[in-house]
Amino acid sequence: MARPVEPPDGGWGWIVVLSAFFQSALVFGVLRSFGVFFLEFVSAFREPAMRVSWITSIGIAVQQFGSTEGRDEAAGKGLDSRFSEGRQGAGWALTFTPTLACLSRYFSKRRSLATGLALTGIGLSSFVFAPFFQWLITYYAWRGALLLVAAVSLHLVACGALLRPLRLAEDPSVGGPAAQLVSLLHHGPFLCYTAALTLINAGYFIPYVHLVAHAQDLGWDPLHAAFLLSLVAVADLTGRVFSGWLGDVSPGPVVQLLALWSFLAGMALALLPVAQQPLVLMALAIAYGFTAGALTPVAFSVLPELVGVGKIYVGLGLVQLVESIGGLLGAPLSGYLRDLTGSYTASFVVAGGFLLSGSMVLCTLPGFFFCFFLPSASEQYSVTKSLEARISPNRAEYEEGRPEVQDP
């Protein structure tokens, strides 16, 4: 059995970052670019926007509902040409969530930066995938395009092979998964954080589902409308790297940055319908992309601070399970408002309101208004172990698995 260690903040952790980079690209890059298929589905199945919106919404929800193998994702995408979005989302769940949890265990001081770098894959792939998918639809129709996307998704198998388990010194003190689950269900700050992310999740994906359709409603050419998502992707990438760096050097709690980026993203999203001129719409789309990208790495960095890296697998899985409710209902609600009003104005305003509400909930977390970092759960554990080692070296050695030394 591997000897317990502290998060190495490097080493094989950078390989995990590389794996997470490609996995995030192949999971959320595809998901965010799926809006280019939206009007194709509306036309092919002759259904209102609300019902078609369930396609992407179910994929988002199932991805977050479950939790490390890429073959299911590729199979789901292939079956998507026969319309099986739930299987697609299940494959996403089996790849993305465990990888991000694994990454969090490899990093402590540079966790936000490592997460930000890993998630830049989403921005890069979104920049490429949106116009690429539109090109595939033009030449192969939507069914053929989805089959080709399935082939690309098979690369998730290689990404999963790069992951290595890491046994941390904190693990023996947190109990098994069942005990961790019970403790988290009674953990007030964790429940507050989960509620905030659920609200944010309800509005977060709306532009990626309906922004292309909104631009076409304004008279944009389909390829130019798809390119709008590419602009969002570039801004998203920049925001992730900047926020990851800022999260590690900021003198305040990371949750403050999460609340700030969520608030700004909500404002940009709510103002999208105001933009009638192409340049204004592009500017607001870029602003949303930057702030939406910036909130993601710090969102994943807040969780280990709340519950400790020993509970990160169970904690992240539980968060994604609950926030899947927001992902499930957000896009259909947006589509319903489009059918009801004849435009996406109400859809974007309501979506922005969800993000603004989530940012307000984050303000209620303990220590939010402190100017300096409060010790995280993992840091508190390290301090405790250090004190125990000084007071009782024999007990510390016994807990680490070495034979107890008897006094002569």
Side-chain angles (χ1 to χ4, degrees):
M1 182 179 293
R3 180 179 175 182
V5 297
E6 298 296 327
D9 268 311
W12 191 262
W14 293 117
I15 303 299
V16 176
V17 170
L18 180 65
S19 173
F21 172 88
F22 285 107
Q23 288 200 43
S24 66
L26 293 172
V27 173
F28 281 97
V30 171
L31 178 61
R32 287 182 164 200
S33 304
F34 221 67
V36 300
F37 289 95
F38 182 77
L39 292 181
E40 297 295 323
F41 293 157
V42 171
S43 175
F45 295 95
R46 299 178 182 177
E47 295 287 351
M50 182 188 74
R51 297 190 66 180
V52 175
S53 297
W54 281 102
I55 300 171
T56 305
S57 181
I58 290 172
I60 296 170
V62 176
Q63 180 272 321
Q64 293 171 328
F65 193 84
S67 219
T68 3
E69 186 174 3
R71 288 172 295 181
D72 284 348
E73 206 279 343
K77 189 66 69 178
L79 287 173
D80 218 11
S81 64
R82 298 292 184 266
F83 245 79
S84 180
E85 191 73 11
R87 182 181 291 271
Q88 168 194 348
W92 283 337
L94 293 172
T95 58
F96 182 73
T97 303
T99 302
L100 263 292
C102 181
L103 185 150
S104 295
R105 292 169 62 84
Y106 271 89
F107 292 89
S108 178
K109 295 179 180 178
R110 292 185 283 186
R111 182 180 293 131
S112 293
L113 178 60
T115 305
L117 291 174
L119 297 178
T120 55
I122 300 175
L124 285 174
S125 60
S126 299
F127 176 77
V128 175
F129 285 170
F132 177 58
F133 288 177
Q134 188 65 57
W135 181 83
L136 289 178
I137 291 171
T138 302
Y139 286 92
Y140 299 102
W142 67 269
R143 292 184 186 273
L146 288 175
L147 288 171
L148 292 172
V149 173
V152 174
S153 298
L154 274 171
H155 291 82
L156 287 167
V157 176
C159 295
L162 295 175
L163 301 182
R164 297 288 186 272
L166 182 67
R167 185 166 177 253
L168 299 178
E170 182 179 339
D171 293 344
S173 68
V174 297
Q180 294 178 32
L181 178 62
V182 173
S183 66
L184 290 176
L185 291 175
H186 294 85
H187 192 297
F190 171 79
L191 297 177
C192 179
Y193 165 80
T194 303
L197 287 196
T198 302
L199 288 169
I200 292 170
N201 204 45
Y204 184 88
F205 291 99
I206 301 306
Y208 304 105
V209 180
H210 291 146
L211 185 57
V212 172
H214 174 62
Q216 292 188 39
D217 282 352
L218 296 178
W220 286 43
D221 176 82
L223 189 58
H224 290 163
F227 183 71
L228 190 60
L229 282 184
S230 295
L231 291 179
V232 174
V234 172
D236 176 281
L237 186 155
T238 307
R240 288 171 190 270
V241 176
F242 175 75
S243 178
W245 167 80
L246 187 62
D248 287 334
V249 301
S250 174
V254 179
V255 69
Q256 291 180 346
L257 291 177
L258 177 57
L260 173 64
W261 297 130
S262 301
F263 178 83
L264 294 177
M267 290 297 297
L269 182 51
L271 291 174
L272 274 177
V274 177
Q276 299 298 316
Q277 298 299 320
L279 288 178
V280 180
L281 180 58
M282 290 168 61
L284 283 173
I286 290 172
Y288 177 78
F290 182 88
T291 53
L295 72 85
T296 308
V298 289
F300 286 106
S301 297
V302 167
L303 184 58
E305 295 288 332
L306 284 177
V307 303
V309 292
K311 298 179 182 179
I312 190 63
Y313 282 106
V314 174
L316 184 56
L318 185 56
V319 167
Q320 295 238 298
L321 185 151
V322 176
E323 71 173 349
S324 67
I325 299 171
L328 178 65
L329 300 179
L333 174 60
S334 178
Y336 170 76
L337 293 174
R338 166 64 173 85
D339 295 333
L340 187 66
T341 63
S343 74
Y344 286 100
T345 299
S347 301
F348 288 134
V349 170
V350 171
F354 280 124
L355 273 87
L356 293 172
S357 300
S359 68
M360 296 298 104
V361 174
L362 289 170
C363 296
T364 66
L365 286 176
F368 180 86
F369 295 101
F370 281 72
C371 296
F372 300 97
F373 282 111
L374 293 176
S376 67
S378 58
E379 290 170 337
Q380 293 174 11
Y381 175 81
S382 298
V383 171
T384 301
K385 292 294 292 182
S386 176
L387 290 174
E388 288 179 347
R390 293 179 183 179
I391 296 172
S392 181
N394 292 344
R395 185 175 66 180
E397 290 180 355
Y398 177 79
E399 291 176 353
E400 291 176 3
R402 297 193 295 272
E404 182 176 355
V405 178
Q406 300 292 336
D407 291 333

PDB file of all heavy atoms in Angstrom, residues 26-28 32-33 73 82 89 106 130 188 205 215 220 274 277 306 312-313 327 374 391 394:
ATOM      1  N   LEU A  26     -13.100  17.585 -24.699  1.00  0.00           N
ATOM      2  CA  LEU A  26     -13.970  16.630 -25.376  1.00  0.00           C
ATOM      3  C   LEU A  26     -15.349  16.510 -24.726  1.00  0.00           C
ATOM      4  O   LEU A  26     -16.292  16.041 -25.369  1.00  0.00           O
ATOM      5  CB  LEU A  26     -13.299  15.258 -25.421  1.00  0.00           C
ATOM      6  CG  LEU A  26     -12.040  15.181 -26.291  1.00  0.00           C
ATOM      7  CD1 LEU A  26     -11.338  13.839 -26.110  1.00  0.00           C
ATOM      8  CD2 LEU A  26     -12.384  15.407 -27.753  1.00  0.00           C
ATOM      9  N   VAL A  27     -15.463  16.910 -23.478  1.00  0.00           N
ATOM     10  CA  VAL A  27     -16.760  16.842 -22.803  1.00  0.00           C
ATOM     11  C   VAL A  27     -17.500  18.162 -22.952  1.00  0.00           C
ATOM     12  O   VAL A  27     -18.518  18.262 -23.651  1.00  0.00           O
ATOM     13  CB  VAL A  27     -16.596  16.474 -21.311  1.00  0.00           C
ATOM     14  CG1 VAL A  27     -17.941  16.576 -20.593  1.00  0.00           C
ATOM     15  CG2 VAL A  27     -16.042  15.059 -21.175  1.00  0.00           C
ATOM     16  N   PHE A  28     -16.986  19.212 -22.319  1.00  0.00           N
ATOM     17  CA  PHE A  28     -17.722  20.475 -22.321  1.00  0.00           C
ATOM     18  C   PHE A  28     -17.526  21.270 -23.605  1.00  0.00           C
ATOM     19  O   PHE A  28     -18.356  22.113 -23.937  1.00  0.00           O
ATOM     20  CB  PHE A  28     -17.329  21.311 -21.100  1.00  0.00           C
ATOM     21  CG  PHE A  28     -18.006  20.855 -19.842  1.00  0.00           C
ATOM     22  CD1 PHE A  28     -17.357  20.010 -18.962  1.00  0.00           C
ATOM     23  CD2 PHE A  28     -19.301  21.224 -19.555  1.00  0.00           C
ATOM     24  CE1 PHE A  28     -17.976  19.560 -17.809  1.00  0.00           C
ATOM     25  CE2 PHE A  28     -19.936  20.792 -18.419  1.00  0.00           C
ATOM     26  CZ  PHE A  28     -19.282  19.956 -17.529  1.00  0.00           C
ATOM     27  N   ARG A  32     -20.835  22.686 -25.127  1.00  0.00           N
ATOM     28  CA  ARG A  32     -21.036  24.111 -25.356  1.00  0.00           C
ATOM     29  C   ARG A  32     -21.277  24.439 -26.822  1.00  0.00           C
ATOM     30  O   ARG A  32     -21.859  25.465 -27.132  1.00  0.00           O
ATOM     31  CB  ARG A  32     -19.823  24.889 -24.862  1.00  0.00           C
ATOM     32  CG  ARG A  32     -19.715  24.960 -23.359  1.00  0.00           C
ATOM     33  CD  ARG A  32     -18.523  25.779 -22.966  1.00  0.00           C
ATOM     34  NE  ARG A  32     -18.590  26.190 -21.580  1.00  0.00           N
ATOM     35  CZ  ARG A  32     -17.897  27.193 -21.083  1.00  0.00           C
ATOM     36  NH1 ARG A  32     -17.079  27.862 -21.875  1.00  0.00           N
ATOM     37  NH2 ARG A  32     -17.995  27.521 -19.823  1.00  0.00           N
ATOM     38  N   SER A  33     -20.797  23.592 -27.717  1.00  0.00           N
ATOM     39  CA  SER A  33     -20.954  23.848 -29.147  1.00  0.00           C
ATOM     40  C   SER A  33     -22.213  23.199 -29.710  1.00  0.00           C
ATOM     41  O   SER A  33     -22.479  23.301 -30.908  1.00  0.00           O
ATOM     42  CB  SER A  33     -19.719  23.323 -29.906  1.00  0.00           C
ATOM     43  OG  SER A  33     -18.536  23.897 -29.399  1.00  0.00           O
ATOM     44  N   GLU A  73     -19.106   7.339 -23.447  1.00  0.00           N
ATOM     45  CA  GLU A  73     -19.362   8.661 -24.016  1.00  0.00           C
ATOM     46  C   GLU A  73     -19.429   8.577 -25.527  1.00  0.00           C
ATOM     47  O   GLU A  73     -20.311   9.142 -26.157  1.00  0.00           O
ATOM     48  CB  GLU A  73     -18.262   9.624 -23.585  1.00  0.00           C
ATOM     49  CG  GLU A  73     -18.677  11.078 -23.561  1.00  0.00           C
ATOM     50  CD  GLU A  73     -18.641  11.691 -24.932  1.00  0.00           C
ATOM     51  OE1 GLU A  73     -18.020  11.138 -25.832  1.00  0.00           O
ATOM     52  OE2 GLU A  73     -19.265  12.749 -25.099  1.00  0.00           O
ATOM     53  N   ARG A  82     -29.448   8.642 -33.190  1.00  0.00           N
ATOM     54  CA  ARG A  82     -30.783   8.042 -33.048  1.00  0.00           C
ATOM     55  C   ARG A  82     -31.495   8.664 -31.850  1.00  0.00           C
ATOM     56  O   ARG A  82     -32.500   8.159 -31.392  1.00  0.00           O
ATOM     57  CB  ARG A  82     -30.666   6.520 -32.840  1.00  0.00           C
ATOM     58  CG  ARG A  82     -30.034   5.809 -34.006  1.00  0.00           C
ATOM     59  CD  ARG A  82     -30.925   5.852 -35.230  1.00  0.00           C
ATOM     60  NE  ARG A  82     -30.356   5.080 -36.312  1.00  0.00           N
ATOM     61  CZ  ARG A  82     -29.585   5.599 -37.264  1.00  0.00           C
ATOM     62  NH1 ARG A  82     -29.286   6.886 -37.240  1.00  0.00           N
ATOM     63  NH2 ARG A  82     -29.122   4.843 -38.241  1.00  0.00           N
ATOM     64  N   GLY A  89     -24.821  11.840 -21.803  1.00  0.00           N
ATOM     65  CA  GLY A  89     -24.516  12.500 -20.537  1.00  0.00           C
ATOM     66  C   GLY A  89     -23.900  11.551 -19.528  1.00  0.00           C
ATOM     67  O   GLY A  89     -23.035  11.934 -18.746  1.00  0.00           O
ATOM     68  N   TYR A 106      -3.987  16.362  -6.111  1.00  0.00           N
ATOM     69  CA  TYR A 106      -2.576  16.527  -6.443  1.00  0.00           C
ATOM     70  C   TYR A 106      -2.060  17.926  -6.147  1.00  0.00           C
ATOM     71  O   TYR A 106      -0.853  18.145  -6.131  1.00  0.00           O
ATOM     72  CB  TYR A 106      -2.339  16.218  -7.925  1.00  0.00           C
ATOM     73  CG  TYR A 106      -2.042  14.763  -8.208  1.00  0.00           C
ATOM     74  CD1 TYR A 106      -3.071  13.861  -8.470  1.00  0.00           C
ATOM     75  CD2 TYR A 106      -0.735  14.284  -8.205  1.00  0.00           C
ATOM     76  CE1 TYR A 106      -2.810  12.521  -8.739  1.00  0.00           C
ATOM     77  CE2 TYR A 106      -0.455  12.950  -8.471  1.00  0.00           C
ATOM     78  CZ  TYR A 106      -1.496  12.076  -8.730  1.00  0.00           C
ATOM     79  OH  TYR A 106      -1.224  10.760  -8.980  1.00  0.00           O
ATOM     80  N   ALA A 130     -17.484  24.856 -32.597  1.00  0.00           N
ATOM     81  CA  ALA A 130     -18.721  25.500 -33.056  1.00  0.00           C
ATOM     82  C   ALA A 130     -18.749  25.661 -34.583  1.00  0.00           C
ATOM     83  O   ALA A 130     -19.680  25.168 -35.241  1.00  0.00           O
ATOM     84  CB  ALA A 130     -18.915  26.839 -32.353  1.00  0.00           C
ATOM     85  N   GLY A 188     -23.415  22.609   6.915  1.00  0.00           N
ATOM     86  CA  GLY A 188     -24.136  23.795   6.471  1.00  0.00           C
ATOM     87  C   GLY A 188     -23.472  24.553   5.331  1.00  0.00           C
ATOM     88  O   GLY A 188     -24.117  24.836   4.313  1.00  0.00           O
ATOM     89  N   PHE A 205     -25.556  27.591 -18.871  1.00  0.00           N
ATOM     90  CA  PHE A 205     -25.432  26.989 -20.199  1.00  0.00           C
ATOM     91  C   PHE A 205     -26.379  27.591 -21.236  1.00  0.00           C
ATOM     92  O   PHE A 205     -26.316  27.207 -22.409  1.00  0.00           O
ATOM     93  CB  PHE A 205     -25.692  25.479 -20.111  1.00  0.00           C
ATOM     94  CG  PHE A 205     -24.618  24.722 -19.371  1.00  0.00           C
ATOM     95  CD1 PHE A 205     -24.783  24.367 -18.043  1.00  0.00           C
ATOM     96  CD2 PHE A 205     -23.430  24.379 -20.000  1.00  0.00           C
ATOM     97  CE1 PHE A 205     -23.803  23.678 -17.364  1.00  0.00           C
ATOM     98  CE2 PHE A 205     -22.438  23.682 -19.329  1.00  0.00           C
ATOM     99  CZ  PHE A 205     -22.618  23.333 -18.005  1.00  0.00           C
ATOM    100  N   ALA A 215     -28.926  34.861 -32.424  1.00  0.00           N
ATOM    101  CA  ALA A 215     -28.255  35.635 -33.466  1.00  0.00           C
ATOM    102  C   ALA A 215     -28.932  35.443 -34.821  1.00  0.00           C
ATOM    103  O   ALA A 215     -29.081  36.401 -35.600  1.00  0.00           O
ATOM    104  CB  ALA A 215     -26.780  35.235 -33.542  1.00  0.00           C
ATOM    105  N   TRP A 220     -28.574  37.049 -38.512  1.00  0.00           N
ATOM    106  CA  TRP A 220     -27.192  36.641 -38.770  1.00  0.00           C
ATOM    107  C   TRP A 220     -27.169  35.405 -39.666  1.00  0.00           C
ATOM    108  O   TRP A 220     -28.048  34.539 -39.594  1.00  0.00           O
ATOM    109  CB  TRP A 220     -26.477  36.325 -37.464  1.00  0.00           C
ATOM    110  CG  TRP A 220     -26.111  37.524 -36.644  1.00  0.00           C
ATOM    111  CD1 TRP A 220     -26.879  38.624 -36.399  1.00  0.00           C
ATOM    112  CD2 TRP A 220     -24.892  37.714 -35.912  1.00  0.00           C
ATOM    113  NE1 TRP A 220     -26.219  39.491 -35.565  1.00  0.00           N
ATOM    114  CE2 TRP A 220     -25.001  38.965 -35.259  1.00  0.00           C
ATOM    115  CE3 TRP A 220     -23.741  36.962 -35.757  1.00  0.00           C
ATOM    116  CZ2 TRP A 220     -23.982  39.474 -34.462  1.00  0.00           C
ATOM    117  CZ3 TRP A 220     -22.726  37.462 -34.964  1.00  0.00           C
ATOM    118  CH2 TRP A 220     -22.842  38.705 -34.315  1.00  0.00           C
ATOM    119  N   VAL A 274     -30.416  43.247 -24.957  1.00  0.00           N
ATOM    120  CA  VAL A 274     -30.378  44.679 -25.257  1.00  0.00           C
ATOM    121  C   VAL A 274     -29.592  44.938 -26.536  1.00  0.00           C
ATOM    122  O   VAL A 274     -29.832  45.911 -27.250  1.00  0.00           O
ATOM    123  CB  VAL A 274     -29.749  45.454 -24.080  1.00  0.00           C
ATOM    124  CG1 VAL A 274     -29.623  46.931 -24.400  1.00  0.00           C
ATOM    125  CG2 VAL A 274     -30.577  45.236 -22.814  1.00  0.00           C
ATOM    126  N   GLN A 277     -27.164  45.712 -32.242  1.00  0.00           N
ATOM    127  CA  GLN A 277     -26.076  45.881 -33.193  1.00  0.00           C
ATOM    128  C   GLN A 277     -25.071  44.731 -33.049  1.00  0.00           C
ATOM    129  O   GLN A 277     -24.777  44.299 -31.924  1.00  0.00           O
ATOM    130  CB  GLN A 277     -25.362  47.215 -32.963  1.00  0.00           C
ATOM    131  CG  GLN A 277     -26.258  48.430 -33.156  1.00  0.00           C
ATOM    132  CD  GLN A 277     -26.802  48.510 -34.572  1.00  0.00           C
ATOM    133  OE1 GLN A 277     -26.093  48.240 -35.539  1.00  0.00           O
ATOM    134  NE2 GLN A 277     -28.076  48.875 -34.691  1.00  0.00           N
ATOM    135  N   LEU A 306     -13.712  23.920   1.594  1.00  0.00           N
ATOM    136  CA  LEU A 306     -14.850  23.708   2.495  1.00  0.00           C
ATOM    137  C   LEU A 306     -14.806  22.352   3.197  1.00  0.00           C
ATOM    138  O   LEU A 306     -15.066  22.271   4.401  1.00  0.00           O
ATOM    139  CB  LEU A 306     -16.165  23.822   1.707  1.00  0.00           C
ATOM    140  CG  LEU A 306     -16.649  25.209   1.321  1.00  0.00           C
ATOM    141  CD1 LEU A 306     -17.920  25.097   0.489  1.00  0.00           C
ATOM    142  CD2 LEU A 306     -16.911  26.067   2.556  1.00  0.00           C
ATOM    143  N   ILE A 312     -13.075  14.917  -1.303  1.00  0.00           N
ATOM    144  CA  ILE A 312     -13.329  15.600  -2.563  1.00  0.00           C
ATOM    145  C   ILE A 312     -14.125  14.741  -3.538  1.00  0.00           C
ATOM    146  O   ILE A 312     -14.980  15.249  -4.275  1.00  0.00           O
ATOM    147  CB  ILE A 312     -12.000  16.072  -3.204  1.00  0.00           C
ATOM    148  CG1 ILE A 312     -12.285  17.000  -4.391  1.00  0.00           C
ATOM    149  CG2 ILE A 312     -11.135  14.903  -3.603  1.00  0.00           C
ATOM    150  CD1 ILE A 312     -12.998  18.266  -4.042  1.00  0.00           C
ATOM    151  N   TYR A 313     -13.881  13.414  -3.574  1.00  0.00           N
ATOM    152  CA  TYR A 313     -14.623  12.575  -4.511  1.00  0.00           C
ATOM    153  C   TYR A 313     -16.107  12.554  -4.183  1.00  0.00           C
ATOM    154  O   TYR A 313     -16.965  12.772  -5.049  1.00  0.00           O
ATOM    155  CB  TYR A 313     -14.061  11.145  -4.504  1.00  0.00           C
ATOM    156  CG  TYR A 313     -12.779  10.979  -5.276  1.00  0.00           C
ATOM    157  CD1 TYR A 313     -11.566  10.821  -4.613  1.00  0.00           C
ATOM    158  CD2 TYR A 313     -12.778  10.977  -6.661  1.00  0.00           C
ATOM    159  CE1 TYR A 313     -10.383  10.664  -5.317  1.00  0.00           C
ATOM    160  CE2 TYR A 313     -11.599  10.827  -7.376  1.00  0.00           C
ATOM    161  CZ  TYR A 313     -10.398  10.673  -6.700  1.00  0.00           C
ATOM    162  OH  TYR A 313      -9.221  10.523  -7.407  1.00  0.00           O
ATOM    163  N   GLY A 327     -29.124  22.276 -14.241  1.00  0.00           N
ATOM    164  CA  GLY A 327     -28.784  21.990 -15.628  1.00  0.00           C
ATOM    165  C   GLY A 327     -29.934  21.360 -16.392  1.00  0.00           C
ATOM    166  O   GLY A 327     -30.103  21.586 -17.585  1.00  0.00           O
ATOM    167  N   LEU A 374      -9.090  32.071   5.528  1.00  0.00           N
ATOM    168  CA  LEU A 374      -9.259  31.210   6.690  1.00  0.00           C
ATOM    169  C   LEU A 374      -8.605  29.874   6.375  1.00  0.00           C
ATOM    170  O   LEU A 374      -8.547  29.468   5.220  1.00  0.00           O
ATOM    171  CB  LEU A 374     -10.753  30.994   6.971  1.00  0.00           C
ATOM    172  CG  LEU A 374     -11.525  32.233   7.425  1.00  0.00           C
ATOM    173  CD1 LEU A 374     -12.991  31.869   7.563  1.00  0.00           C
ATOM    174  CD2 LEU A 374     -10.988  32.767   8.734  1.00  0.00           C
ATOM    175  N   ILE A 391       3.729  16.371  20.039  1.00  0.00           N
ATOM    176  CA  ILE A 391       3.283  15.978  21.367  1.00  0.00           C
ATOM    177  C   ILE A 391       3.463  14.476  21.587  1.00  0.00           C
ATOM    178  O   ILE A 391       3.889  14.018  22.638  1.00  0.00           O
ATOM    179  CB  ILE A 391       1.803  16.366  21.578  1.00  0.00           C
ATOM    180  CG1 ILE A 391       1.678  17.900  21.513  1.00  0.00           C
ATOM    181  CG2 ILE A 391       1.268  15.829  22.888  1.00  0.00           C
ATOM    182  CD1 ILE A 391       0.244  18.377  21.507  1.00  0.00           C
ATOM    183  N   ASN A 394       5.171   8.795  18.906  1.00  0.00           N
ATOM    184  CA  ASN A 394       4.835   7.385  18.744  1.00  0.00           C
ATOM    185  C   ASN A 394       3.462   7.211  18.102  1.00  0.00           C
ATOM    186  O   ASN A 394       3.266   6.385  17.218  1.00  0.00           O
ATOM    187  CB  ASN A 394       4.854   6.671  20.099  1.00  0.00           C
ATOM    188  CG  ASN A 394       6.266   6.581  20.659  1.00  0.00           C
ATOM    189  OD1 ASN A 394       7.227   6.778  19.932  1.00  0.00           O
ATOM    190  ND2 ASN A 394       6.366   6.295  21.948  1.00  0.00           N
TER     191      ASN A 394
END
